[in-house]
Amino acid sequence: MTSPTSPPQIGFIGGGNMASAIIGGLLRQGHLASALQVVEPWDEQRARLAQQFPGVSVLPAASEALKPAELVVWAVKPQTFKDAALSTAPFVSQALHLSVAAGITSESIAAWLGSERIVRAMPNTPALVGLGMTGLMARAAVSDDEKALVERVVRTTGELVWVNVESDLDAVTALSGSGPAYVFYFLEAMRDAGTRMGLAPEVAQQLAIGTFIGAATLAQRSTDPLQTLRERVTSKGGTTYAAITSMEASGIKQRFIAAMQAAEQRAAELGREFGG
């Protein structure tokens, strides 16, 4: 165990985008690089991590070197989680575990690792710029102090919310985990619409991105309901009214809700598919 003044030893299984976001956030917050380890089997990615994060120990495979880890962050793809867990379990029996893998249930993780001290997280890619949104769920064996440790780690990448029911993480996955792709999709549509109306593509894209940032910031800072904010921009008979009326006639809102429900269903399927 570390002393009260030293940072916790943290191990990462998988060194992709989400692990990199968390490692970068920790280092920016002053966490010692020497207190971080990453297991990454791919040579090219291992070299990239070593260059990006000097002082962080980058390992090709799980080993005895992981034993000091107080927290292990599982940043692997759902389809490789089981094999990674079984090969790593002998070295991390005393650690708290934080999984950022979509769909894989804490019950499956507990069975593979032989531990009940598991927190599941569903982050999203804006974590790469410190503006992530992460949903968290802890099993009963996780203490309040351990939850606080998880919060300190996750807050280096943005904001977080806790849910009490694990199945709610499938909804979190559909809403915020996959959510950045929806935003990019709508940004593409707004850019393309602007281009068709005669704007230069770079101008249309700048307008679209700036509008999303501004509207989201306004919604975040305002105490008014989203509907009220929308209605303030939608004067009856005006330009916004024409656009909203067209979208309502096309059933866009209901189709969008159905699309997110499809994402939720797929998140649950991943757990069943790869959790055996």
PDB file of all heavy atoms in Angstrom, residues 67-80:
ATOM      1  N   LYS A  67       1.461  -6.439  -9.316  1.00  0.00           N
ATOM      2  CA  LYS A  67       1.007  -6.753  -7.956  1.00  0.00           C
ATOM      3  C   LYS A  67       0.868  -5.534  -7.038  1.00  0.00           C
ATOM      4  O   LYS A  67      -0.018  -5.513  -6.183  1.00  0.00           O
ATOM      5  CB  LYS A  67       1.915  -7.804  -7.324  1.00  0.00           C
ATOM      6  CG  LYS A  67       1.643  -9.214  -7.860  1.00  0.00           C
ATOM      7  CD  LYS A  67       2.244 -10.292  -6.988  1.00  0.00           C
ATOM      8  CE  LYS A  67       1.723 -11.663  -7.396  1.00  0.00           C
ATOM      9  NZ  LYS A  67       2.257 -12.743  -6.544  1.00  0.00           N
ATOM     10  N   PRO A  68       1.692  -4.492  -7.170  1.00  0.00           N
ATOM     11  CA  PRO A  68       1.503  -3.328  -6.293  1.00  0.00           C
ATOM     12  C   PRO A  68       0.260  -2.487  -6.627  1.00  0.00           C
ATOM     13  O   PRO A  68      -0.102  -1.596  -5.847  1.00  0.00           O
ATOM     14  CB  PRO A  68       2.779  -2.505  -6.516  1.00  0.00           C
ATOM     15  CG  PRO A  68       3.762  -3.438  -7.123  1.00  0.00           C
ATOM     16  CD  PRO A  68       2.955  -4.396  -7.924  1.00  0.00           C
ATOM     17  N   ALA A  69      -0.380  -2.740  -7.747  1.00  0.00           N
ATOM     18  CA  ALA A  69      -1.491  -1.895  -8.179  1.00  0.00           C
ATOM     19  C   ALA A  69      -2.653  -1.936  -7.191  1.00  0.00           C
ATOM     20  O   ALA A  69      -3.136  -3.013  -6.835  1.00  0.00           O
ATOM     21  CB  ALA A  69      -1.966  -2.317  -9.562  1.00  0.00           C
ATOM     22  N   GLU A  70      -3.085  -0.767  -6.749  1.00  0.00           N
ATOM     23  CA  GLU A  70      -4.257  -0.660  -5.876  1.00  0.00           C
ATOM     24  C   GLU A  70      -5.546  -0.556  -6.689  1.00  0.00           C
ATOM     25  O   GLU A  70      -6.620  -0.925  -6.219  1.00  0.00           O
ATOM     26  CB  GLU A  70      -4.123   0.563  -4.978  1.00  0.00           C
ATOM     27  CG  GLU A  70      -2.934   0.482  -4.034  1.00  0.00           C
ATOM     28  CD  GLU A  70      -2.663   1.816  -3.381  1.00  0.00           C
ATOM     29  OE1 GLU A  70      -3.575   2.351  -2.718  1.00  0.00           O
ATOM     30  OE2 GLU A  70      -1.540   2.328  -3.538  1.00  0.00           O
ATOM     31  N   LEU A  71      -5.418  -0.030  -7.895  1.00  0.00           N
ATOM     32  CA  LEU A  71      -6.549   0.087  -8.814  1.00  0.00           C
ATOM     33  C   LEU A  71      -6.107  -0.427 -10.171  1.00  0.00           C
ATOM     34  O   LEU A  71      -5.030  -0.072 -10.659  1.00  0.00           O
ATOM     35  CB  LEU A  71      -6.995   1.550  -8.936  1.00  0.00           C
ATOM     36  CG  LEU A  71      -8.077   1.843  -9.983  1.00  0.00           C
ATOM     37  CD1 LEU A  71      -9.410   1.203  -9.593  1.00  0.00           C
ATOM     38  CD2 LEU A  71      -8.254   3.354 -10.181  1.00  0.00           C
ATOM     39  N   VAL A  72      -6.946  -1.272 -10.772  1.00  0.00           N
ATOM     40  CA  VAL A  72      -6.686  -1.754 -12.128  1.00  0.00           C
ATOM     41  C   VAL A  72      -7.816  -1.279 -13.022  1.00  0.00           C
ATOM     42  O   VAL A  72      -8.994  -1.526 -12.741  1.00  0.00           O
ATOM     43  CB  VAL A  72      -6.565  -3.290 -12.183  1.00  0.00           C
ATOM     44  CG1 VAL A  72      -6.457  -3.772 -13.630  1.00  0.00           C
ATOM     45  CG2 VAL A  72      -5.352  -3.756 -11.384  1.00  0.00           C
ATOM     46  N   VAL A  73      -7.459  -0.570 -14.084  1.00  0.00           N
ATOM     47  CA  VAL A  73      -8.435  -0.041 -15.038  1.00  0.00           C
ATOM     48  C   VAL A  73      -8.452  -0.957 -16.261  1.00  0.00           C
ATOM     49  O   VAL A  73      -7.431  -1.124 -16.931  1.00  0.00           O
ATOM     50  CB  VAL A  73      -8.081   1.401 -15.460  1.00  0.00           C
ATOM     51  CG1 VAL A  73      -9.121   1.925 -16.453  1.00  0.00           C
ATOM     52  CG2 VAL A  73      -7.995   2.311 -14.232  1.00  0.00           C
ATOM     53  N   TRP A  74      -9.625  -1.526 -16.519  1.00  0.00           N
ATOM     54  CA  TRP A  74      -9.781  -2.451 -17.640  1.00  0.00           C
ATOM     55  C   TRP A  74     -10.284  -1.680 -18.845  1.00  0.00           C
ATOM     56  O   TRP A  74     -11.448  -1.340 -18.944  1.00  0.00           O
ATOM     57  CB  TRP A  74     -10.734  -3.579 -17.247  1.00  0.00           C
ATOM     58  CG  TRP A  74     -10.135  -4.443 -16.186  1.00  0.00           C
ATOM     59  CD1 TRP A  74     -10.191  -4.257 -14.834  1.00  0.00           C
ATOM     60  CD2 TRP A  74      -9.342  -5.616 -16.388  1.00  0.00           C
ATOM     61  NE1 TRP A  74      -9.486  -5.241 -14.182  1.00  0.00           N
ATOM     62  CE2 TRP A  74      -8.956  -6.089 -15.110  1.00  0.00           C
ATOM     63  CE3 TRP A  74      -8.923  -6.313 -17.521  1.00  0.00           C
ATOM     64  CZ2 TRP A  74      -8.180  -7.227 -14.942  1.00  0.00           C
ATOM     65  CZ3 TRP A  74      -8.145  -7.451 -17.358  1.00  0.00           C
ATOM     66  CH2 TRP A  74      -7.776  -7.892 -16.085  1.00  0.00           C
ATOM     67  N   ALA A  75      -9.361  -1.416 -19.786  1.00  0.00           N
ATOM     68  CA  ALA A  75      -9.676  -0.642 -20.981  1.00  0.00           C
ATOM     69  C   ALA A  75      -9.455  -1.506 -22.218  1.00  0.00           C
ATOM     70  O   ALA A  75      -8.692  -1.165 -23.125  1.00  0.00           O
ATOM     71  CB  ALA A  75      -8.814   0.618 -21.030  1.00  0.00           C
ATOM     72  N   VAL A  76     -10.117  -2.658 -22.232  1.00  0.00           N
ATOM     73  CA  VAL A  76      -9.987  -3.621 -23.325  1.00  0.00           C
ATOM     74  C   VAL A  76     -11.317  -3.735 -24.059  1.00  0.00           C
ATOM     75  O   VAL A  76     -12.368  -3.366 -23.540  1.00  0.00           O
ATOM     76  CB  VAL A  76      -9.548  -5.003 -22.809  1.00  0.00           C
ATOM     77  CG1 VAL A  76      -8.161  -4.938 -22.206  1.00  0.00           C
ATOM     78  CG2 VAL A  76     -10.540  -5.537 -21.769  1.00  0.00           C
ATOM     79  N   LYS A  77     -11.282  -4.271 -25.274  1.00  0.00           N
ATOM     80  CA  LYS A  77     -12.506  -4.481 -26.036  1.00  0.00           C
ATOM     81  C   LYS A  77     -13.310  -5.613 -25.407  1.00  0.00           C
ATOM     82  O   LYS A  77     -12.733  -6.549 -24.824  1.00  0.00           O
ATOM     83  CB  LYS A  77     -12.165  -4.805 -27.494  1.00  0.00           C
ATOM     84  CG  LYS A  77     -11.480  -3.669 -28.231  1.00  0.00           C
ATOM     85  CD  LYS A  77     -11.278  -3.998 -29.685  1.00  0.00           C
ATOM     86  CE  LYS A  77     -10.523  -2.864 -30.402  1.00  0.00           C
ATOM     87  NZ  LYS A  77     -11.250  -1.587 -30.339  1.00  0.00           N
ATOM     88  N   PRO A  78     -14.643  -5.535 -25.504  1.00  0.00           N
ATOM     89  CA  PRO A  78     -15.483  -6.577 -24.876  1.00  0.00           C
ATOM     90  C   PRO A  78     -15.097  -7.991 -25.283  1.00  0.00           C
ATOM     91  O   PRO A  78     -15.074  -8.904 -24.451  1.00  0.00           O
ATOM     92  CB  PRO A  78     -16.896  -6.225 -25.353  1.00  0.00           C
ATOM     93  CG  PRO A  78     -16.851  -4.757 -25.615  1.00  0.00           C
ATOM     94  CD  PRO A  78     -15.462  -4.472 -26.131  1.00  0.00           C
ATOM     95  N   GLN A  79     -14.759  -8.183 -26.557  1.00  0.00           N
ATOM     96  CA  GLN A  79     -14.480  -9.536 -27.049  1.00  0.00           C
ATOM     97  C   GLN A  79     -13.156 -10.108 -26.552  1.00  0.00           C
ATOM     98  O   GLN A  79     -12.933 -11.313 -26.642  1.00  0.00           O
ATOM     99  CB  GLN A  79     -14.538  -9.575 -28.576  1.00  0.00           C
ATOM    100  CG  GLN A  79     -13.630  -8.586 -29.287  1.00  0.00           C
ATOM    101  CD  GLN A  79     -14.327  -7.288 -29.617  1.00  0.00           C
ATOM    102  OE1 GLN A  79     -15.127  -6.796 -28.836  1.00  0.00           O
ATOM    103  NE2 GLN A  79     -14.021  -6.725 -30.787  1.00  0.00           N
ATOM    104  N   THR A  80     -12.278  -9.245 -26.012  1.00  0.00           N
ATOM    105  CA  THR A  80     -10.995  -9.740 -25.493  1.00  0.00           C
ATOM    106  C   THR A  80     -10.922  -9.702 -23.972  1.00  0.00           C
ATOM    107  O   THR A  80      -9.913 -10.113 -23.399  1.00  0.00           O
ATOM    108  CB  THR A  80      -9.832  -8.904 -26.065  1.00  0.00           C
ATOM    109  OG1 THR A  80      -9.966  -7.539 -25.628  1.00  0.00           O
ATOM    110  CG2 THR A  80      -9.826  -8.939 -27.587  1.00  0.00           C
TER     111      THR A  80
END
